[in-house]
Amino acid sequence: MSKHRLSRKGRYIALGATAAVVAAGGGIVATTSMAAPGKPATAAFPPQKTFTGRAFDTCTAPSQAAMTAWKKDGYYGGVAVYIGGRNRGCAQPNLTASWVKAVNAQGWKLIPLYVGAQPYCQKSRSPERFTAATAASLGAANAKDAIAKAAALGMRAGSPVYLNMESYDITDTACNDAALTYVRAFSRTLRAKSYRAGLYGFSTSSAKAVATAKNRTDLPGNLWYAQWNGKETTTADWPWDPKLYTNHSRGHQYKANTKETRGGHTINIDRNAWDAPVAIVG
């Protein structure tokens, strides 16, 4: 996702951008069947707030004026925000509890992202990495920090947190095992505090590792996959078992690094088709 998660120089991208821009007004095909793995709703675990539609993400949360202008334009309904993590690539001067409250009141659906530690075999300059020995403990620690960051912004229990994991060599068995250990610890810790677990990753790498793992225990219940093919859908190009991550549990980042101007405000964004949980604010 351009420099949004890691710095531009530090990102190792295994997926090349392809295809053209999807025409404005294109629809999104929603998922409808079997629920994704994850903790069911209980009295202590609120029902999820779901958004199905177009969403964008950008490195730094836009100004309130830009969010107001883009909302009036009406093309996007969701926005991803980078709530924390040592590997987060940008400062967030606008991202405050008051900003979250204001844009939520405008009708924006917020998608919280946390840029966690990255695998030791990843080809990047990430300042925080995990090894096989530290994967479980660091995954739990990062999740606790993500919960604190989300809560401080007014994102209540029941909200999702999408863990950002960039590309790495999933054919490196030891490294991939460590990555899944980290992801499981992160997800398990979120759920213990009634936050939903999600993961953002590449369809050829980190998302694939989660989607194709034979042991489904403690994996995130929502999957946001980067596949830059220009197709605004969460179903037609889903590359894995069609029974996985259904019932509003998928996001698809289908185009990266595109400048768009709406209401006089230009933002460099990535485009997403969304059919998954969003933050519960208040």
Side-chain angles (χ1 to χ4, degrees):
M1 198 180 273
S2 69
K3 65 178 181 179
H4 300 355
R5 293 175 169 81
L6 307 178
S7 66
R8 185 180 295 274
K9 292 182 179 179
R11 288 195 68 193
Y12 172 62
I13 300 176
L15 180 65
T18 61
V21 176
V22 174
I28 296 175
V29 182
T31 53
T32 56
S33 57
M34 183 182 294
K39 186 175 179 178
T42 66
F45 203 89
Q48 73 180 35
K49 180 180 179 180
T50 300
F51 170 63
T52 302
R54 298 185 180 98
F56 75 91
D57 59 90
T58 187
C59 191
T60 299
S63 67
Q64 182 64 64
M67 294 299 294
T68 299
W70 276 48
K71 187 60 180 174
K72 288 180 179 178
D73 178 89
Y75 188 78
Y76 292 101
V79 57
V81 290
Y82 299 85
I83 65 172
R86 285 184 58 194
N87 291 324
R88 185 171 62 177
C90 287
Q92 297 291 344
N94 298 319
L95 187 57
T96 63
S98 60
W99 183 94
V100 167
K101 184 177 181 179
V103 299
N104 180 73
Q106 289 179 325
W108 284 105
K109 306 304 186 291
L110 298 172
I111 302 164
L113 267 163
Y114 185 86
V115 192
Q118 301 294 305
Y120 65 85
C121 62
Q122 184 189 89
K123 297 179 180 177
S124 74
R125 298 178 185 176
S126 306
E128 185 176 45
R129 294 174 181 269
F130 56 80
T131 65
T134 63
S137 60
L138 196 50
N142 280 180
K144 291 176 182 177
D145 183 55
I147 292 166
K149 295 291 195 301
L153 289 169
M155 299 175 179
R156 297 191 285 109
S159 298
V161 176
Y162 293 87
L163 173 65
N164 177 141
M165 185 168 287
E166 295 292 315
S167 293
Y168 67 93
D169 182 6
I170 62 174
T171 66
D172 182 332
T173 302
C175 186
N176 191 58
D177 286 347
L180 291 174
T181 295
Y182 171 85
V183 169
R184 287 187 171 100
F186 189 93
S187 300
R188 186 167 55 245
T189 304
L190 284 179
R191 290 174 182 145
K193 296 297 183 180
S194 296
Y195 280 80
R196 289 180 158 78
L199 180 130
Y200 164 88
F202 287 84
S203 63
T204 55
S205 177
S206 42
K208 181 178 180 179
V210 169
T212 60
K214 293 181 179 180
N215 179 2
R216 308 302 301 168
T217 304
D218 288 332
L219 292 178
N222 304 282
L223 192 60
W224 179 2
Y225 61 105
Q227 187 173 19
W228 298 336
N229 56 11
K231 296 180 179 179
E232 189 180 322
T233 177
T234 60
T235 55
D237 63 352
W238 177 255
W240 306 296
D241 184 345
K243 294 180 181 179
L244 287 176
Y245 296 101
T246 56
N247 194 27
H248 309 296
S249 297
R250 298 177 186 174
H252 174 204
Q253 185 187 83
Y254 64 87
K255 185 174 177 63
N257 291 326
T258 179
K259 284 188 177 181
E260 293 190 23
T261 301
R262 300 185 182 276
H265 292 263
T266 301
I267 309 175
N268 186 40
I269 68 165
D270 299 333
R271 294 181 176 184
N272 301 275
W274 200 260
D275 185 37
V278 293
I280 301 171
V281 177

